[in-house]
Amino acid sequence: MSHFSWPIDGGIIGLYLLATMAAGIGVRRYVGKVEHFLVAGREMNLYLGIASLAATEFGIVTCMYTAQNGFEKGFAGATPGILQAVAMFVIGITGFCVKPLRDSGVMTIPELFEKRFGPNVRWLAGVVIVLGGLLNMGVFLRTGGEFLLLVCGFESGYISGTHYLEIVMTILLLSVMTYTILGGMLSVLVTDFLQFIVMSLGLIIVTVLIFKDVGWTKMMDAVQTHYGAGGFNPFANPDMGVSYVVFNLLLQTAATLTWQTTIQRVLAAKDTDTGRKVYTRTAFFFVCRFMIPALWGVAALAMLVPEQYGGNTLYAMPVFLGQFLPVGVMGILIAAMLAADMSTDSSYMIAWAGVIYNDIMSPFRRRAHTEKEGLFWSRFIVATIGVFLMFWGLWYKLEGDLWTYLGVTGTIYLSSMSTLLIACCYWKRANDWGAFGAILAGALIPVGFLILGLMPATKPLAKSIGPYYSGIAAYASAAVAMVIGSLLKPSGTKG
Amino acid sequence: MQFQMFWLVLSVVCVVWYSTITVYVAIKGFWDIKSMLERLAAPDDENAVNR
């Protein structure tokens, strides 16, 4: 039975939503150019960048799968967060790729690719980034809605039998679309800041309550009983091991280098040093990003029996929180999670809109757009992405496992784009042949693995390979294709 | 036992670090927003001089 109270918790949520909308719409008058709309006029300073990056990279979907990791793998489930923090800190401190990228003054990664590999690679890279990103984002709304309804006390069977989830999340999406269309990246930054505060408040309060009322000993015992040493050490966990750690290190490094919403904070920074500092100083947040929800998942493991979450481990954490949190804190949690989801949605919409406008549409423009035309098209693209999300991610029910879906769609994009970026910045022989090869190879392996897993005849083979080795192979083959393609092209050939 | 201690220390550090950084970023970030909006409100030629 959830402790959600409409007058108290509903009031807290209403107040938060009102403040967000007012702040988001209020800054629209500062948007006069496309550069203001897409990268906030490159006026973002350090602390705003930290707040924005942290808020963007933590959505309800993040909370759900990291808590599921904690529930299914114990404390070892927080390992990807540590790997991402290491990757982000090293990239920030060395300036690896992000320095030449920001120094070049481009608005998107494909724009940089054009300078080295030509317009065709820019266009194709834009398509791959948008496809991978939007398909990845497709599951955010439904998962977020499931969390919110489960915390409020709706049973999973009830959710699927009504349209509550769709109605709630459509209203939420329309609110986010409104301020993002009007204020672009400026609204995104200002609302991200507000959302960072609300989200952090909720995450901290809930975690402290869990420490106090569930207790460390009980959580430790639950992990020890269910998973033994594997619940504390990823290398001792039969579901993880070396391949899991290597795959996640590659994935998190590639995401830090090329995930459009992450890299956009570097591109929107007022200078290169600020962009690098955003990375180094936000790095430890990525440990918290995995650790805090993993603790919630472990607490659910300690407190629930399978009948309470219907056997679906994804639902265990929200069901637990719905029963565990008192009135008032419930409102803060839901406001925090709404904040997390809204900041992610708005940033993702503006990030992909930037790539569509800047890289995919540019070859079809006969003449340069005026600022007014540019703003119109940018806003129109944000609105179109919103409509796509509403139907693909909410009204169309995705089948299959969430993590596999996220992993496959992410790897299609990340493996090739990270290879292209590294080669573009540091390898003089890299050329368009290598770039095309890397994009093709980076996409073929994960898609091929997915197809092998779907066909009955090849299903055992896919199972024996596993998603982690297939993921590692995608990164390796993209790199090899870049080298072979670049070396095969006769020197002196244009492009 | 070593691993259990590692996760305990990491969990506590996460909560303490996150609480501190939230307050710090909230204060400094507010001034960042203020100065960003002031710069954007300034006329273009003045913006160029300031940069």
Side-chain angles (χ1 to χ4, degrees):
Chain A
M1 181 68 192
S2 170
H3 296 151
F4 183 82
S5 149
W6 275 106
I8 299 171
D9 298 317
I12 294 170
I13 297 163
L15 196 67
Y16 155 72
L17 287 174
L18 205 65
T20 300
M21 290 305 292
I25 295 172
V27 295
R28 73 189 187 284
R29 65 195 173 93
Y30 295 95
V31 179
K33 298 177 178 177
V34 175
E35 198 185 41
H36 295 162
F37 190 85
L38 294 181
V39 286
R42 296 187 200 275
E43 293 287 1
M44 186 195 77
N45 224 323
L46 178 61
Y47 294 97
L48 181 57
I50 292 172
S52 178
L53 181 57
T56 297
E57 295 307 321
F58 191 97
I60 296 180
V61 69
T62 324
C63 194
M64 290 282 268
Y65 71 68
T66 47
Q68 188 182 30
N69 256 14
F71 192 92
E72 288 183 342
K73 299 180 173 75
F75 293 102
T79 306
I82 299 172
L83 298 171
Q84 183 161 18
V86 171
M88 186 163 265
F89 187 79
V90 172
I91 289 167
I93 206 100
T94 58
F96 180 64
C97 290
V98 294
K99 185 180 183 314
L101 181 65
R102 179 62 186 87
D103 283 347
S104 70
V106 297
M107 282 203 278
T108 58
I109 291 177
E111 197 180 337
L112 180 74
F113 292 163
E114 184 178 19
K115 293 182 179 184
R116 185 67 185 275
F117 303 126
N120 293 336
V121 172
R122 175 183 180 176
W123 190 84
L124 189 60
V127 171
V128 171
I129 285 176
V130 168
L131 272 182
L134 286 182
L135 289 176
N136 200 279
M137 195 185 172
V139 294
F140 288 10
L141 278 179
R142 175 161 286 278
T143 314
E146 283 173 348
F147 173 90
L148 293 171
L149 294 186
L150 285 166
V151 162
C152 291
F154 294 93
E155 287 177 13
S156 56
Y158 187 71
I159 294 174
S160 55
T162 67
H163 285 306
Y164 279 13
L165 185 149
E166 286 82 359
I167 293 165
V168 168
M169 295 313 281
T170 300
I171 294 169
L172 195 71
L173 183 65
L174 287 174
S175 311
V176 174
M177 280 169 69
T178 305
Y179 69 70
T180 310
I181 289 169
L182 290 173
M185 188 65 175
L186 273 174
S187 289
V188 170
L189 287 177
V190 173
T191 53
D192 274 0
F193 172 72
L194 192 67
Q195 286 153 355
F196 169 77
I197 296 169
V198 176
M199 176 187 96
S200 303
L201 199 69
L203 290 176
I204 293 162
I205 290 174
V206 172
T207 310
V208 170
L209 276 179
I210 285 176
F211 270 134
K212 183 177 147 289
D213 293 340
V214 178
W216 182 257
T217 313
K218 198 168 187 175
M219 288 157 67
M220 193 82 85
D221 289 346
V223 172
Q224 183 65 46
T225 308
H226 284 85
Y227 307 116
F232 302 95
N233 178 0
F235 298 105
N237 191 315
D239 294 333
M240 300 169 87
V242 176
S243 62
Y244 178 90
V245 174
V246 172
F247 170 65
N248 272 284
L249 184 62
L250 289 169
L251 182 77
Q252 303 292 18
T253 306
T256 307
L257 285 175
T258 60
W259 194 244
Q260 186 62 26
T261 53
T262 308
I263 208 72
Q264 204 173 24
R265 267 68 200 166
V266 174
L267 298 171
K270 66 172 187 169
D271 53 43
T272 306
D273 277 351
T274 305
R276 288 170 64 180
K277 280 182 190 163
V278 168
Y279 266 30
T280 51
R281 297 191 189 181
T282 316
F284 193 72
F285 170 78
F286 287 86
V287 177
C288 305
R289 177 182 182 249
F290 267 77
M291 194 68 228
I292 288 176
L295 284 171
W296 299 5
V298 170
L301 182 72
M303 302 296 282
L304 297 183
V305 292
E307 292 74 40
Q308 286 175 285
Y309 54 88
N312 186 343
T313 55
L314 195 65
Y315 293 161
M317 180 271 289
V319 168
F320 160 69
L321 291 182
Q323 297 171 4
F324 170 73
L325 296 176
V327 172
V329 178
M330 184 68 81
I332 295 173
L333 171 79
I334 295 175
M337 289 299 116
L338 282 175
D341 221 40
M342 290 170 85
S343 56
T344 305
D345 290 345
S346 60
S347 289
Y348 273 57
M349 282 198 282
I350 199 81
W352 311 130
V355 176
I356 294 172
Y357 178 77
N358 206 41
D359 305 308
I360 299 180
M361 280 177 62
S362 62
F364 303 105
R365 283 200 284 269
R366 288 179 194 164
R367 58 172 176 82
H369 277 166
T370 62
E371 292 294 345
K372 201 175 169 185
E373 287 169 335
L375 277 174
F376 168 79
W377 279 106
S378 300
R379 286 176 164 140
F380 177 76
I381 296 163
V382 171
T384 310
I385 292 172
V387 172
F388 164 80
L389 287 176
M390 210 179 293
F391 288 97
W392 176 257
L394 202 56
W395 295 94
Y396 173 79
K397 195 172 179 183
L398 288 158
E399 300 293 340
D401 165 61
L402 173 66
W403 183 239
T404 306
Y405 179 84
L406 288 173
V408 169
T409 52
T411 302
I412 290 169
Y413 151 15
L414 292 170
S415 56
S416 55
M417 290 305 113
S418 53
T419 303
L420 259 69
L421 183 63
I422 294 167
C424 176
C425 294
Y426 300 107
W427 192 38
K428 284 183 182 171
R429 284 287 304 269
N431 55 45
D432 57 336
W433 283 28
F436 283 123
I439 292 173
L440 199 66
L444 277 180
I445 300 273
V447 171
F449 175 75
L450 197 66
I451 293 169
L452 282 180
L454 288 174
M455 292 193 303
T458 51
K459 212 171 185 172
L461 176 66
K463 205 174 175 185
S464 69
I465 297 168
Y468 311 134
Y469 281 117
S470 128
I472 294 167
Y475 288 94
S477 60
V480 169
M482 167 58 83
V483 173
I484 294 175
S486 298
L487 294 178
L488 280 178
K489 186 172 182 177
S491 56
T493 316
K494 205 182 164 190
Chain B
M1 195 62 193
Q2 276 177 330
F3 281 106
Q4 295 183 1
M5 185 54 73
F6 169 78
W7 292 112
L8 173 62
V9 171
L10 191 63
S11 304
V12 173
V13 169
C14 277
V15 174
V16 173
W17 179 87
Y18 197 17
S19 310
T20 314
I21 214 76
T22 298
V23 176
Y24 192 70
V25 169
I27 295 165
K28 301 280 266 185
F30 175 80
W31 293 109
D32 278 1
I33 290 179
K34 199 167 173 287
S35 61
M36 177 181 80
L37 294 181
E38 279 170 5
R39 286 196 299 271
L40 287 170
D44 267 356
D45 51 341
E46 198 180 319
N47 260 348
V49 171
N50 287 342
R51 279 175 209 157

